[in-house]
Amino acid sequence: MSSMLIVKDLKVNYGGIEALKGISFEVEQGQIVTLIGANGAGKSTTLRAISGLVKTASGAINFMGRDIIPFNAQQVVAEGIAMVPEGRRVFENLTVKENLKIGAYLRKDREEIEAGIEDIYQRFPRLKEREWQLAGTLSGGEQQMLAVGRAMMARPKLLMMDEPSLGLAPLVVKDIFAIIRELKSEGITILLIEQNANAALRCADMAYVLETGNITMSGTGQALLADQRVRDAYLGSTAR
Amino acid sequence: MFDKIFPYLLAGVSVGGQYALIAVGYTMVYGILRLINFAHGDIFTAAGFFMVYISATMPLYLAIPLVTVLTVALGFTVERVAYKPLRTAPRMSIMISAIGVSYLLQNLMWYITGGLAKQYPVLPWISDSITLGSASTKVVTIVTPILTIVLVTALVMLIQRTKIGMAMRAVSKDFETAELMGIKINSVISTTFIIGSFLAAVGSMLYFTNYTTVTPTIGAMPGLKAFVAAVFGGIGSIPGAVVGAFIIGIAENLIRAMGYTTFSDAFTFALLILILLVKPTGLFGEKTSEKV
């Protein structure tokens, strides 16, 4: 019972197509676990199933001892799972501060929410500077920081991140992974999905390779980083 | 010259306020669901009939709040029954459902009333006559624009300053991410219909105080004009709908003042065509209203 999240034999159908064909994996408390794989392998579907956005066909999702399969998205957030969605999806028509506030939508502790916003500003001073700007006016990197901050405002036990480095400049990608490591050092458990397999595996405690709806390999980040098949398929020449 | 135009101007501002109260309902629902709620004009008419029947059995100080509650309940129910089940369906389905609800309500009202025009009760104070300069009119003419501005200002404050308002803005942008924040989409959408129906109820009391009779199809024209106002102002924008409504109300009456009464309706629709050709997003519309 040491694992925080246990996914067992999870199947998801998308309009007649089996997007997930029965995957199993676990996320232990305090770890960074990553799912890597090509486009369409089912990575995002996995996160969407856990967060209650898509219906599962069969299988089990157990979070801190509770079966969360019947939960809708609101209930999953209330259980302590927050998501940084793919493509950031900040609310462009809300100010930076409102985006952070809305991350704490289910929380009732007003004063602590204000303190939480200040914490986020300390972590990302750039957001403080742009506090009253509409989120749509931020750069891609700033929006990603805002999306992370927004998810943190829910005070999650498990943070799920869907392609946080997608579409960002290499320098910003570095920042993002530094943030992920920092969050881990603060004791936050992270489930990370990435196409940038190299960076993801470097910071991951455990990693799973997803191919067309199946998990085909698993191991520690270091082990997969050294695996020839992974190197050939996902790391390309950059890892040589 | 001014003395001749002033009464028309006054009437224009007043009817503009009434259009505005209906237009806000159209524009808010569109802002969140990208749906033209064709039934909105019929909910406005239903509010008129509620008043006709309820005021016959109880005093107005009870009837007015009860009519408001019933109208809100009707708007809420229409959303839950006819629109909510189609949340993930193609947008065309929900549009057609809205047209269906519109005809259903109209026919129900024909059935219940037998199609006869019903006398609207005289609401005290706002039905009183007053003389303002060259214009002899009812108090409602003055009350309407003031009440409209007060209600719309309160609504804008609600949307800009409160938690539910923030949730409404978030939902209007992105359903799924709003859900990931723990926002209950369905309650937010219901709230939108409740507010829209409330304003339609208030609008109907002001409108029928001027027009005195209610028929099952009487809401069609003001409903349509309010819709044009919402498009003119930029559908999805509340200030846009209000400005559009006042412009249309005033312009219609100025055309009457010039002696072209027959063309006052035609003007409104000509304006719709023109705005769609020249600036399809309206006065205050967003550039990209297409939902991702």
Side-chain angles (χ1 to χ4, degrees), chain B residues 1 7 13 43 57 76 80 87 92 102 109 134 182 190 218-219 226 228 240 259 289:
Chain B
M1 179 63 190
V13 171
I43 287 171
T57 62
F76 173 84
R80 282 290 154 120
R87 201 76 90 221
M92 191 55 80
S102 169
M109 290 187 281
S134 60
S190 289
I218 198 165
V228 174
S289 61

Side-chain angles (χ1 to χ4, degrees), chain A residues 48 74 77 89 98 105, chain B residues 163 169 174 176 180 183:
Chain A
R48 291 167 61 83
Q74 294 88 42
V77 181
R89 305 276 282 267
E98 284 175 331
Y105 193 78
Chain B
K163 197 170 169 180
R169 282 181 286 145
D174 188 341
E176 209 173 84
L180 288 175
I183 296 169

Side-chain angles (χ1 to χ4, degrees), chain B residues 24-234:
Chain B
V24 169
Y26 276 112
T27 216
M28 280 181 79
V29 167
Y30 184 86
I32 284 204
L33 285 183
R34 303 294 184 270
L35 160 75
I36 311 294
N37 181 15
F38 291 105
H40 193 56
D42 303 289
I43 287 171
F44 168 85
T45 313
F49 279 122
F50 285 148
M51 182 62 95
V52 168
Y53 287 106
I54 290 169
S55 65
T57 62
M58 59 178 74
L60 280 173
Y61 66 87
L62 289 177
I64 290 172
L66 186 59
V67 165
T68 311
V69 169
L70 281 175
T71 311
V72 164
L74 180 63
F76 173 84
T77 309
V78 163
E79 194 281 319
R80 282 290 154 120
V81 174
Y83 304 153
K84 183 173 170 241
L86 297 170
R87 201 76 90 221
T88 53
R91 213 182 304 164
M92 191 55 80
S93 314
I94 186 167
M95 288 280 190
I96 290 166
S97 183
I99 294 172
V101 171
S102 169
Y103 277 101
L104 176 71
L105 289 177
Q106 268 181 37
N107 282 293
L108 267 177
M109 290 187 281
W110 274 110
Y111 182 75
I112 292 167
T113 64
L116 293 172
K118 299 278 174 184
Q119 193 66 33
Y120 200 77
V122 175
L123 303 184
W125 186 59
I126 58 170
S127 300
D128 294 349
S129 296
I130 51 161
T131 309
L132 271 176
S134 60
S136 165
T137 181
K138 288 180 179 173
V139 175
V140 69
T141 311
I142 316 294
V143 168
T144 300
I146 297 169
L147 190 60
T148 303
I149 301 291
V150 168
L151 287 175
V152 170
T153 308
L155 177 60
V156 170
M157 299 284 269
L158 176 91
I159 290 172
Q160 291 301 327
R161 303 276 168 84
T162 66
K163 197 170 169 180
I164 180 74
M166 185 170 76
M168 288 166 96
R169 282 181 286 145
V171 171
S172 77
K173 205 72 191 172
D174 188 341
F175 270 25
E176 209 173 84
T177 310
E179 274 188 284
L180 288 175
M181 302 297 115
I183 296 169
K184 291 195 181 91
I185 307 283
N186 289 327
S187 342
V188 171
I189 292 170
S190 289
T191 308
T192 310
F193 277 82
I194 286 170
I195 294 171
S197 307
F198 168 76
L199 295 176
V202 175
S204 85
M205 291 175 202
L206 302 171
Y207 186 85
F208 291 119
T209 292
N210 263 348
Y211 290 82
T212 66
T213 54
V214 192
T215 65
T217 49
I218 198 165
M221 197 46 96
L224 207 51
K225 285 179 182 168
F227 170 64
V228 174
V231 173
F232 181 49

Side-chain angles (χ1 to χ4, degrees), chain A residues 126-168:
Chain A
R126 212 105 57 86
L127 296 183
K128 170 83 182 167
E129 290 165 27
R130 310 211 183 304
E131 190 173 9
W132 303 110
Q133 267 174 247
L134 292 184
T137 64
L138 302 185
S139 72
E142 290 164 348
Q143 285 190 4
Q144 188 65 63
M145 287 168 194
L146 182 56
V148 172
R150 184 179 65 180
M152 295 301 297
M153 286 301 296
R155 282 202 296 209
K157 300 178 184 101
L158 172 66
L159 184 64
M160 302 199 293
M161 304 175 95
D162 195 346
E163 307 268 12
S165 77
L166 194 72
L168 299 179

Side-chain angles (χ1 to χ4, degrees), chain A residues 64-109:
Chain A
M64 304 193 62
R66 290 183 73 168
D67 172 23
I68 60 167
I69 289 266
F71 286 12
N72 62 26
Q74 294 88 42
Q75 290 166 313
V76 171
V77 181
E79 283 297 302
I81 302 180
M83 172 122 106
V84 180
E86 182 179 350
R88 309 178 274 277
R89 305 276 282 267
V90 296
F91 297 106
E92 296 177 0
N93 56 338
L94 268 58
T95 65
V96 167
K97 188 166 189 184
E98 284 175 331
N99 266 280
L100 293 175
K101 270 191 188 165
I102 211 162
Y105 193 78
L106 292 179
R107 286 169 58 186
K108 303 269 181 272
D109 45 345

